[in-house]
Amino acid sequence: MSQAAGTLKHYFVTSEQQFDAAKMGMWLFLVTEILLFSGMFVAYAVYRAWHPEVFAHASELLDWRLGGLNTLVLLASSFTVALSIHFVQKGQNRKVVVLLLITLLCVAIFMVIKYFEYTGKFAHGIFPGAGYAPHGEAYAEYDIPFAPQFFSIYFIMTGIHGVHVLVGMGLFVWLVTRVVRGHFSSAWYTPVELTGLYWHLVDIIWIFLFPLLYLI
Amino acid sequence: MGDQGTVWLPEAASTVAGDVDALFYFILWVSTILFIGVIGTMVLFAWRFRRRSSQDRPQPVRENKLIEASWIVVPTLLVAIVFVWGFRVFLELGIAPPNSYEIDVRARKWSWLFEYSSGAQSSELHVPVHRPVKLRMISEDVIHSFFVPAFRVKADVFAGRYSYVWFEATRQDTFVVACAEYCGMAHSQMLTRVVVHSQDDFENWLANNAADADMTPAERGERLYSQQGCFACHSLDGIELTGPSFQGLAGSTRMFTDGTSAEADANYLRQAIVNPAAEIVQGYEALMPGTYSSLSAADLDALVAFIEAQ
Amino acid sequence: MHEGSYLGASRGLKSWLLTTDHKRIGILYAVAIAAFFLLGGILAILVRTELTAPGETVFGQDQYNQLFTLHGVVMVFLVIIPGIPGILGNFVLPIQIGAKDVAFPRLNLASWYIFMAGAVLAVLGWLLVGKVDTGWTFYTPYSSGASNAVLWLTSAVFVAGFASIFTGLNFIVTVHKMRAPGMTWNRLPLFVWAIYATAIVQVLATPVIGITMVLLFLEKLLQIGIFDPALGGDPVLFQHFFWFYSHPAVYIMILPAMGIISDLMGTFSRQQVSGYTFIALSSVAIAFLGFLVWGHHMFVAGQSALSSIIFSMLTFLIGIPTGIKVFNWVATMYKGSVWLQTPMLYALMFLFLFTIGGLTGIMVGVLAVDVHLHDTYFVVAHFHYVMMGGALIGLIGGLHYWWPKITGRLYNETAGRIAAVLVFIGFNLTFFTQFILGSRGMPRRYHDYSALMDVMPEAAMLNLASSLGSYILAAGLVMILVYALHSLFRGKLASANPWGACTLEWTHTGPVPDAHNFHETPLVTRGPYDFHLADDVFGSDEEDS
Amino acid sequence: MAQGHHIIPIRTLAVVFAVLVALTIITVITARIELGVANVPLALAIAGSKALLVAIVFMALKYDNQVNVLVLSLGVLFAVVFLSLTLADTELRGVLGITDAGTTVIAVEAEEVLQEEPVPVAAYQAPEEVYQRYCITCHSLDGTVGVGPSLTGLTDRQPPDSILQSIMDPDVIVVSGYTGLVMQATLNGLGFYTNVSDASVDSLIAWLGDQ
């Protein structure tokens, strides 16, 4: 309890109130993220509805195996984050560190795969916007109207998602150092829980990106 | 430019203007009555219940449910009326009569170009009186907006997509045409006039100007027809070559291989030139190249006009 | 100043720039926004000066286009949107609900810095890169083909958006979690209800302007072809994106002002605000309905007819909760004790101007009539009646009302009334003339209307009147600035509750609140306008002036 | 336990994770089966269920304050409003004749082009096939003059290099009496230059010599 008391800000009355406020604040922030991504989903939906064949065709260029692997990696990281909250609630901080490190590993794998996907596209002239000039076998046939729109939307959506993943990575590193320094206990672990919420949302966004971009 | 209109509205010189004005004035007067009611009551209360001393102790007024309900219901009814009314006039504004005389409009920074079926071109719009005129408009750059205050019509003009506006002028006169959508530096200079002629004068004007214009769109279309080699596959005399003949093509109903059909209107023809593979007419194969999409917008218009003339 | 008060708690520039006290952050916002308002106002005067006579008067058309663009951007994004929540929301809201601060004070400070960063980007772009003449709406393809300074301005709007999001987020959590014991939802002052509803809009709508600006930025930088028709994009899609934010943003601007007016009507009538529940819930209703009407900006922009019909119908639905508010405000004075102090003059002025703004809003919401009025000065007049006659007059009224609480001093009441009259006359002269100009057919954003003079010879006279009105309006605003500054240094010291108000900020704190608002958490036992239960607020020594 | 929060059992978390993995596999499999119009809604439904699972269990919404559920629902609701009202415009332009159908008339819609299976670039094609597919419309083999000259006795008139140039770059020399640009435009449109391998072109020229 002493730790919890030490973290109570003067303008709150109880630590329960402080925790609830922090959590609600986080949820509101997540809602702004949903609305931010909704803009890109709208752009996707509008252009897909206008040019369904182009979009279906262009999505075949994206490798569903890599996308699927990334989905699994992200799901696994969500799982380990959920577990780490379980253990921080029980005060087993050593396990928390291990789980967070595994999470970090998953995040790293995700970004490495993303890197290879991106460079693979760039090598064949698949760029967002005016730079779009596909060449090479199996790529040249994508030089069709509105395929640039698909790939622009693809790069923007996964790009902004990727930025969120990088931010998450930074948050996990920060969390690990704080757990190691013994900042958290079963009495106070708000940052772990909030980072977890953020990370799950990043995962949920990807859950939608994967079928929309890679599968259908 | 004779009639100057009223304090609120400019002269009304089209068939729809009367309906728009009636609705405008209805809302204006209802609003004025409401405004006087609300602000009058406000002033009355502020005076009648003004503070007389710092020791005033007003007692709270019990809320009157009937009054609360009435100022929900009455405004709802009022807005329902103006919505339905506005909706009806909007339909009238939106649907051009089928016998409309069509004029092509090209908007660009910062001028208007009007092209008539006779081949005449002008920077001022010339129309016959008492005849519905439908404008097919396209922009060469940014968004513009065709606005004739006296006709109460306005429509934005985009690149890459036709938009339409129609009106029937009721008086022989000249009226201002303005660009209403901000379009850059000389936006406020993008004005021209619409000249309403009698039917005879209009024919004369067309004839005089067609002679002066170096070529009509249809004539330019004819030149393109041979320049671009369209004749290789499309005859003008009804003989079926690799592609459909142009004779009687415009306005006919086209049956497509996927079972759908469409009327061969201007948009269809344009589409069929820039993207021939989109819809294949039954009995033909997808052989026509897609390279004609690189033709300029003016050339495409000319070709469409040429095909429509066959 | 009083020892221990928030003003005197600590000293030095650093104590202000690093403060997490919501009251001081409110002051930081006030200073910044006053500066931007001055800038935006000067630009407005320059625009009006150009229009005093037909033809080129002072500025070339290129300069003129930049003037109205910057006027729009500065006023919308840097003044009205952050205005009331940033200044008065920050200062008043936590005290009104009996909290010691907002839920996230550091985030609150951060939002001010983010806001300033956005402003700096905008100003830097203007100074370094120059020319932006897209209008504040940034319509594509004009904006995506225009000069590079558009990139700066879109970045500025993007950044400033986060400030708005964080402010809104903070207020929602504060209202939910930080209320004092006894401060139930039906005892919240109506200003709090309004800021709360506003905050919902800020949180839900602002991210969309963020992504819109990102996409516009990329359209310009990489030609992604989403909005530019030359690349296969759709310019009307940009308008959907833009107005999905910018229409709700109108309610970010006007709702807080409505909250201020509710408080003013109650306090200066010494009367229970009529239809408290209706007013509170209508704020929330307006916030939600506000999301469903953006397409009424696009009736002539070639959107589908079905969309136009849906959006027109939904637009009228907003008129209903708005009407409820107006009628209830008037009814509040019934059998009250109406005290016509300067803040109340602004409240009545608000009612006058906002009713005109609202009714003309119905006019431009009607499909067929809007076809004629769209993009004319009628629309310019309409939104100035709502944005300036509503939002800014509300802000000015609120600043007068809370001035004694913020500064601990009184302003000169006579000067206040004279300025109010000047503002009222100047405003109506400036903008009522524009209704007539617009419905007679003068399009907006016109540098030169000489070509229209053939058909509307009165245009010169009306424009001149409008410009003269703007000078009178400016004189009134400058006068406010002068007596406000005078009051800061020479003003009479105020008592704790000069207006005899009933809400917490007047009754539980001293003349100026101390750094922590309340020594003990207050226990709330009555509603915000229960004057008949509140003998303690009467007997204040303030004489009627 | 000062925060007094529900601790979600490891078992529950593991089950949810397993279900998520399973759903991922299912969505990949179903997407690769041709289901016509059902593919898109099915993929979205699976994604929606996965998202819901993550929100309810991983994000602990089930055990959380109801107000947070409301917050999330509002966010989703307004994203849906944004999407559906925008589509109400973009999908229905042209109703009432106020604007014309479709979004862009100048830009080319390429959907249907894609329905033709592109011929692999490298594949060798017999000269008869090439001729039937690309040339026969304009060039006869029996001496009659069509849009272009007949190809009988072509090798007598032109050396193979010149024939190659006439195919690959037909506008360099245009025989009088015929129209330039047509051949290249047609061949481009038919995909000749991308779909016919060099070897096929060589054998086509050789084959023409025999006609």
Side-chain angles (χ1 to χ4, degrees):
Chain A
M1 283 304 289
S2 60
Q3 277 161 313
T7 54
L8 182 63
K9 303 281 201 309
H10 76 271
Y11 41 90
F12 287 108
V13 180
T14 65
S15 61
E16 187 65 35
Q17 181 195 25
Q18 175 171 322
F19 175 75
D20 277 356
K23 198 160 178 183
M24 189 178 175
M26 192 63 198
W27 272 107
L28 283 164
F29 176 72
L30 296 188
V31 160
T32 68
E33 293 281 11
I34 291 174
L35 267 300
L36 181 84
F37 274 93
S38 80
M40 285 174 280
F41 281 108
V42 168
Y44 174 89
V46 166
Y47 278 90
R48 189 187 173 90
W50 276 339
H51 314 293
E53 306 283 342
V54 177
F55 269 49
H57 183 61
S59 80
E60 285 166 19
L61 194 62
L62 302 178
D63 191 340
W64 64 269
R65 294 176 212 85
L66 293 179
L69 185 58
N70 257 349
T71 309
L72 295 179
V73 166
L74 269 195
L75 287 176
S77 71
S78 253
F79 178 52
T80 53
V81 166
L83 281 178
S84 70
I85 291 166
H86 172 94
F87 286 116
V88 82
Q89 283 174 320
K90 286 183 171 173
Q92 299 170 334
N93 281 0
R94 191 177 296 269
K95 287 183 180 167
V96 176
V97 172
V98 172
L99 282 162
L100 289 177
L101 288 175
I102 297 174
T103 311
L104 266 174
L105 182 70
C106 291
V107 181
I109 293 172
F110 181 90
M111 288 313 289
V112 167
I113 292 176
K114 221 46 280 142
Y115 170 79
F116 282 113
E117 280 192 275
Y118 272 28
T119 49
K121 299 283 172 299
F122 293 157
H124 289 93
I126 306 270
F127 290 103
Y132 186 82
H135 52 78
E137 208 177 304
Y139 286 85
E141 60 174 289
Y142 289 91
D143 197 3
I144 48 175
F146 300 110
Q149 265 84 356
F150 175 86
F151 287 104
S152 292
I153 290 172
Y154 160 77
F155 279 115
I156 296 168
M157 285 181 124
T158 55
I160 295 184
H161 180 264
V163 170
H164 283 81
V165 172
L166 286 177
V167 169
M169 212 165 170
L171 287 173
F172 287 127
V173 170
W174 170 73
L175 276 188
V176 169
T177 62
R178 289 197 68 177
V179 182
V180 169
R181 283 184 284 163
H183 285 186
F184 304 128
S185 69
S186 59
W188 186 74
Y189 53 85
T190 311
V192 186
E193 175 138 15
L194 297 191
T195 308
L197 284 177
Y198 169 80
W199 189 248
H200 293 311
L201 188 88
V202 172
D203 188 21
I204 285 179
I205 301 278
W206 183 261
I207 284 175
F208 283 98
L209 289 185
F210 172 54
L212 287 178
L213 294 172
Y214 290 80
L215 294 182
I216 53 177
Chain B
M1 310 202 178
D3 183 8
Q4 297 294 349
T6 65
V7 171
W8 281 100
L9 290 168
E11 54 201 321
S14 76
T15 49
V16 291
D19 294 339
V20 175
D21 292 1
L23 181 51
F24 178 90
Y25 280 117
F26 175 77
I27 306 172
L28 185 69
W29 285 115
V30 171
S31 296
T32 307
I33 292 165
L34 274 174
F35 178 76
I36 291 173
V38 169
I39 300 305
T41 314
M42 178 187 97
V43 172
L44 179 74
F45 283 179
W47 170 254
R48 168 77 181 74
F49 303 110
R50 68 189 180 277
R51 168 153 135 159
R52 290 161 207 274
S53 87
S54 61
Q55 303 309 313
D56 280 359
R57 292 285 189 282
Q59 282 304 303
V61 179
R62 281 182 63 84
E63 270 178 33
N64 186 328
K65 291 279 184 287
L66 188 70
I67 292 182
E68 288 284 343
S70 71
W71 61 49
I72 295 175
V73 173
V74 174
T76 309
L77 287 177
L78 280 174
V79 294
I81 292 171
V82 294
F83 166 70
V84 174
W85 191 346
F87 170 58
R88 282 162 171 256
V89 182
F90 186 62
L91 291 186
E92 199 184 332
L93 282 166
I95 302 175
N99 60 339
S100 302
Y101 179 78
E102 287 201 32
I103 299 173
D104 278 348
V105 181
R106 196 169 291 283
R108 63 234 162 158
K109 295 177 188 168
W110 289 276
S111 64
W112 301 92
L113 178 68
F114 302 96
E115 295 176 303
Y116 305 80
S117 53
S118 74
Q121 292 188 341
S122 64
S123 57
E124 288 183 348
L125 178 58
H126 292 260
V127 295
V129 73
H130 295 309
R131 174 154 183 210
V133 173
K134 184 179 176 188
L135 304 182
R136 182 174 70 178
M137 307 186 291
I138 200 154
S139 162
E140 289 178 2
D141 37 57
V142 300
I143 305 175
H144 302 279
S145 191
F146 179 88
F147 178 33
V148 183
F151 295 165
R152 315 286 189 268
V153 294
K154 183 184 289 126
D156 286 5
V157 184
F158 303 91
R161 170 180 148 199
Y162 292 123
S163 52
Y164 297 97
V165 74
W166 84 273
F167 55 81
E168 182 181 333
T170 54
R171 222 176 56 235
Q172 293 177 47
D173 205 341
T174 53
F175 308 98
V176 164
V177 177
C179 175
E181 181 68 59
Y182 174 68
C183 55
M185 196 168 78
H187 168 56
S188 65
Q189 307 303 318
M190 195 170 161
L191 290 134
T192 185
R193 299 192 306 163
V194 46
V195 182
V196 183
H197 300 278
S198 73
Q199 187 67 39
D200 288 347
D201 288 352
F202 180 65
E203 299 294 342
N204 287 338
W205 180 86
L206 278 183
N208 292 337
N209 283 275
D212 296 340
D214 62 358
M215 239 183 208
T216 71
E219 279 167 359
R220 277 190 291 124
E222 188 169 20
R223 197 175 59 193
L224 287 163
Y225 173 76
S226 56
Q227 277 178 344
Q228 297 290 330
C230 314
F231 59 86
C233 302
H234 304 278
S235 77
L236 298 179
D237 51 9
I239 293 172
E240 297 296 300
L241 301 174
T242 312
S245 170
F246 285 167
Q247 189 181 46
L249 175 62
S252 67
T253 303
R254 314 301 289 166
M255 305 295 299
F256 302 120
T257 46
D258 60 0
T260 60
S261 68
E263 193 198 335
D265 57 9
N267 269 314
Y268 165 81
L269 291 174
R270 189 185 179 109
Q271 173 84 351
I273 298 169
V274 296
N275 182 17
E279 304 277 16
I280 303 302
V281 175
Q282 284 176 12
Y284 297 93
E285 281 177 83
L287 287 173
M288 183 163 150
T291 44
Y292 298 116
S293 60
S294 61
L295 286 176
S296 76
D299 283 353
L300 282 170
D301 286 358
L303 269 175
V304 169
F306 172 70
I307 296 168
E308 283 179 331
Q310 300 307 310
Chain C
M1 201 53 62
H2 317 260
E3 279 307 311
S5 83
Y6 83 100
L7 289 169
S10 51
R11 292 185 181 281
L13 191 63
K14 205 176 137 195
S15 77
W16 282 88
L17 291 179
L18 296 179
T19 183
T20 54
D21 181 352
H22 66 98
K23 300 179 288 299
R24 286 188 163 205
I25 293 171
I27 305 278
L28 290 178
Y29 266 110
V31 172
I33 288 169
F36 297 135
F37 182 60
L38 193 65
L39 174 64
I42 290 170
L43 291 166
I45 290 294
L46 295 180
V47 166
R48 272 321 318 169
T49 303
E50 170 56 39
L51 294 172
T52 43
E56 185 170 316
T57 317
V58 187
F59 302 101
Q61 45 196 8
D62 205 20
Q63 289 167 309
Y64 174 82
N65 295 342
Q66 296 179 48
L67 286 178
F68 75 68
T69 298
L70 281 165
H71 165 70
V73 171
V74 168
M75 284 301 199
V76 170
F77 293 109
L78 301 182
V79 177
I80 315 184
I81 286 179
I84 299 178
I87 303 170
L88 294 174
N90 260 324
F91 192 94
V92 178
L93 180 134
I95 320 181
Q96 276 198 332
I97 63 169
K100 289 179 176 167
D101 207 323
V102 292
F104 311 111
R106 275 186 299 175
L107 187 69
N108 202 11
L109 180 65
S111 81
W112 184 76
Y113 276 101
I114 294 168
F115 169 67
M116 291 308 285
V120 166
L121 269 180
V123 173
L124 269 187
W126 186 23
L127 294 180
L128 299 182
V129 189
K131 188 174 147 129
V132 190
D133 63 348
T134 59
W136 76 277
T137 47
F138 304 117
Y139 272 12
T140 53
Y142 188 74
S143 58
S144 56
S147 75
N148 279 316
V150 176
L151 291 181
W152 290 78
L153 226 50
T154 53
S155 314
V157 170
F158 178 77
V159 170
F162 280 99
S164 189
I165 289 175
F166 291 147
T167 304
L169 189 154
N170 227 328
F171 287 158
I172 294 180
V173 177
T174 305
V175 170
H176 269 274
K177 303 292 182 191
M178 310 282 282
R179 280 170 287 132
M183 179 56 80
T184 55
W185 285 93
N186 54 14
R187 282 181 185 159
L188 284 182
L190 286 165
F191 177 66
V192 174
W193 266 108
I195 291 282
Y196 174 72
T198 308
I200 295 174
V201 186
Q202 285 176 300
V203 166
L204 287 174
T206 316
V208 176
I209 194 74
I211 191 66
T212 310
M213 290 298 131
V214 168
L215 290 178
L216 178 58
F217 192 93
L218 293 174
E219 182 77 57
K220 205 168 152 36
L221 212 59
L222 302 174
Q223 287 92 50
I224 54 174
I226 307 281
F227 298 139
D228 186 350
L231 302 165
D234 180 26
V236 180
L237 186 63
F238 175 82
Q239 298 178 17
H240 280 291
F241 271 69
F242 182 80
W243 290 113
F244 182 84
Y245 166 73
S246 294
H247 194 77
V250 168
Y251 301 100
I252 296 178
M253 307 184 213
I254 191 67
L255 273 172
M258 290 172 159
I260 291 174
I261 299 310
S262 302
D263 268 19
L264 293 181
M265 292 310 290
T267 301
F268 288 94
S269 303
R270 278 208 178 159
Q271 183 61 287
Q272 193 68 267
V273 173
S274 162
Y276 169 89
T277 323
F278 287 96
I279 292 189
L281 293 182
S282 68
S283 288
V284 180
I286 290 173
F288 285 123
L289 287 172
F291 277 94
L292 306 177
V293 301
W294 79 82
H296 67 211
H297 295 266
M298 295 149 64
F299 286 162
V300 300
Q303 72 177 348
S304 77
L306 180 73
S307 294
S308 293
I309 290 160
I310 294 174
F311 282 124
S312 172
M313 197 155 48
L314 293 168
T315 300
F316 292 126
L317 291 184
I318 294 215
I320 292 158
T322 312
I324 290 172
K325 280 180 189 285
V326 170
F327 296 132
N328 275 310
W329 287 327
V330 174
T332 301
M333 290 191 287
Y334 181 67
K335 290 194 177 171
S337 163
V338 180
W339 194 16
L340 292 173
Q341 294 290 85
T342 308
M344 187 59 169
L345 289 183
Y346 280 102
L348 298 182
M349 198 193 304
F350 174 98
L351 267 177
F352 185 98
L353 302 178
F354 180 74
T355 306
I356 294 178
L359 289 169
T360 50
I362 295 288
M363 219 170 231
V364 291
V366 175
L367 288 162
V369 178
D370 181 65
V371 169
H372 177 63
L373 297 177
H374 184 82
D375 268 334
T376 67
Y377 260 88
F378 194 92
V379 174
V380 176
H382 157 67
F383 73 70
H384 278 91
Y385 264 86
V386 179
M387 299 292 83
M388 187 169 184
L392 269 173
I393 294 298
L395 173 61
I396 294 172
L399 282 173
H400 279 86
Y401 175 53
W402 280 296
W403 184 263
K405 188 58 55 179
I406 295 171
T407 64
R409 290 174 186 272
L410 297 172
Y411 49 82
N412 184 316
E413 178 63 26
T414 316
R417 291 179 180 190
I418 294 171
V421 171
L422 279 179
V423 167
F424 181 73
I425 294 172
F427 182 91
N428 282 300
L429 190 56
T430 310
F431 294 109
F432 200 82
T433 44
Q434 295 182 4
F435 279 125
I436 301 173
L437 279 171
S439 68
R440 290 277 295 153
M442 178 168 163
R444 63 194 284 202
R445 295 174 171 175
Y446 262 33
H447 162 256
D448 171 13
Y449 49 90
S450 49
L452 291 167
M453 297 284 290
D454 287 348
V455 284
M456 40 189 298
E458 77 282 13
M461 189 264 289
L462 288 172
N463 269 303
L464 180 63
S466 176
S467 296
L468 291 179
S470 73
Y471 302 145
I472 299 175
L473 178 55
L477 292 170
V478 169
M479 187 168 167
I480 295 174
L481 184 68
V482 170
Y483 70 70
L485 288 174
H486 177 266
S487 158
L488 265 188
F489 300 103
R490 297 279 168 79
K492 226 167 66 176
L493 291 182
S495 64
N497 189 1
W499 314 121
C502 219
T503 41
L504 275 184
E505 77 275 26
W506 301 103
T507 53
H508 282 80
T509 60
V512 183
D514 73 18
H516 298 297
N517 295 355
F518 303 96
H519 295 293
E520 291 166 30
T521 307
L523 180 67
V524 182
T525 54
R526 59 164 193 252
Y529 313 106
D530 286 338
F531 293 91
H532 60 294
L533 301 177
D535 276 339
D536 51 326
V537 304
F538 293 99
S540 72
D541 305 326
E542 296 303 321
E543 288 306 314
D544 296 17
S545 43
Chain D
M1 291 301 292
Q3 285 178 293
H5 291 115
H6 185 85
I7 301 180
I8 306 168
I10 295 180
R11 212 183 113 75
T12 313
L13 296 175
V15 168
V16 168
F17 177 57
V19 173
L20 288 170
V21 171
L23 282 173
T24 306
I25 294 166
I26 291 172
T27 193
V28 168
I29 293 169
T30 53
R32 304 198 68 71
I33 304 169
E34 190 53 54
L35 297 171
V37 288
N39 273 111
V40 174
L42 182 66
L44 285 177
I46 294 175
S49 336
K50 286 165 74 182
L52 218 53
L53 267 179
V54 173
I56 291 172
V57 182
F58 281 1
M59 297 171 99
L61 262 191
K62 190 180 166 193
Y63 318 99
D64 204 344
N65 198 324
Q66 289 301 304
V67 75
N68 292 336
V69 179
L70 185 69
V71 167
L72 178 65
S73 316
L74 276 181
V76 174
L77 175 72
F78 280 100
V80 171
V81 164
F82 185 18
L83 182 68
S84 45
L85 282 179
T86 304
L87 286 174
D89 166 29
T90 58
E91 283 305 286
L92 291 169
R93 289 191 192 156
V95 178
L96 290 180
I98 284 163
T99 62
D100 56 85
T103 52
T104 50
V105 280
I106 288 175
V108 182
E109 299 203 19
E111 284 88 5
E112 320 282 327
V113 178
L114 297 165
Q115 289 182 337
E116 295 174 60
E117 279 298 310
V119 184
V121 174
Y124 173 79
Q125 290 162 279
E128 293 89 342
E129 284 175 35
V130 177
Y131 173 76
Q132 290 290 340
R133 185 171 171 81
Y134 298 104
C135 317
I136 196 167
T137 321
C138 302
H139 301 280
S140 75
L141 289 175
D142 56 6
T144 44
V145 174
V147 178
S150 172
L151 299 178
T152 40
L154 181 63
T155 40
D156 302 339
R157 303 196 299 260
Q158 277 180 282
D161 278 359
S162 166
I163 297 175
L164 180 63
Q165 189 194 37
S166 296
I167 295 172
M168 301 312 281
D169 208 354
D171 292 317
V172 175
I173 302 163
V174 179
V175 179
S176 74
Y178 298 101
T179 311
L181 300 170
V182 176
M183 179 162 159
Q184 187 165 32
T186 311
L187 288 183
N188 243 334
L190 296 173
F192 178 88
Y193 296 114
T194 45
N195 293 339
V196 180
S197 66
D198 292 350
S200 303
V201 176
D202 289 344
S203 65
L204 176 71
I205 294 168
W207 178 79
L208 283 173
D210 302 334
Q211 304 303 318

